[in-house]
Amino acid sequence: LIPTHNREQLLSITLQSVLKQTTGLDQVEIIISNDASKDGTKELLAHFLKTHPSINIKIFNHEKNLGGPGNWKFLLDQAHGEFVYLLSD
């Protein structure tokens, strides 16, 4: 689970790190919640999704800011795995 808000540059680094560290991506669900960012986060996520079609990734772009705790709760509600890891950007 990756919450993000106005951190386009750090999110890009985080996503590249996830790709390098994770083996068995077919067994991993990556869920990203963009909390109404005003920078290029939405476009970055669209590009990432397009260039990595085989990864089980879900991206949610919120129009209204949920705040940190609200964004984390949203992510937890979306998760379906047995184990959950919250990864900050």
Side-chain angles (χ1 to χ4, degrees):
L1 308 178
I2 305 173
T4 190
H5 177 71
N6 289 335
R7 294 173 54 98
E8 174 186 4
Q9 297 300 321
L10 292 175
L11 179 60
S12 177
I13 294 167
T14 299
L15 293 173
Q16 293 306 315
S17 177
V18 167
L19 292 177
K20 290 178 183 177
Q21 294 181 37
T22 305
T23 57
L25 281 174
D26 58 328
Q27 300 174 20
V28 175
E29 177 183 47
I30 300 171
I31 307 171
I32 304 170
S33 181
N34 176 16
D35 201 11
S37 295
K38 303 287 187 218
D39 61 2
T41 298
K42 188 174 183 178
E43 293 77 17
L44 169 74
L45 291 172
H47 176 73
F48 184 80
L49 189 61
K50 183 178 180 181
T51 57
H52 297 88
S54 62
I55 297 176
N56 184 11
I57 185 167
K58 295 177 185 162
I59 297 172
F60 297 91
N61 290 295
H62 301 287
E63 295 297 321
K64 181 180 176 186
N65 188 290
L66 304 175
N71 202 17
W72 300 333
K73 181 181 181 326
F74 176 83
L75 280 166
L76 285 171
D77 290 343
Q78 305 310 307
H80 295 97
E82 182 178 355
F83 301 99
V84 176
Y85 185 79
L86 182 61
L87 179 63
S88 296
D89 61 3

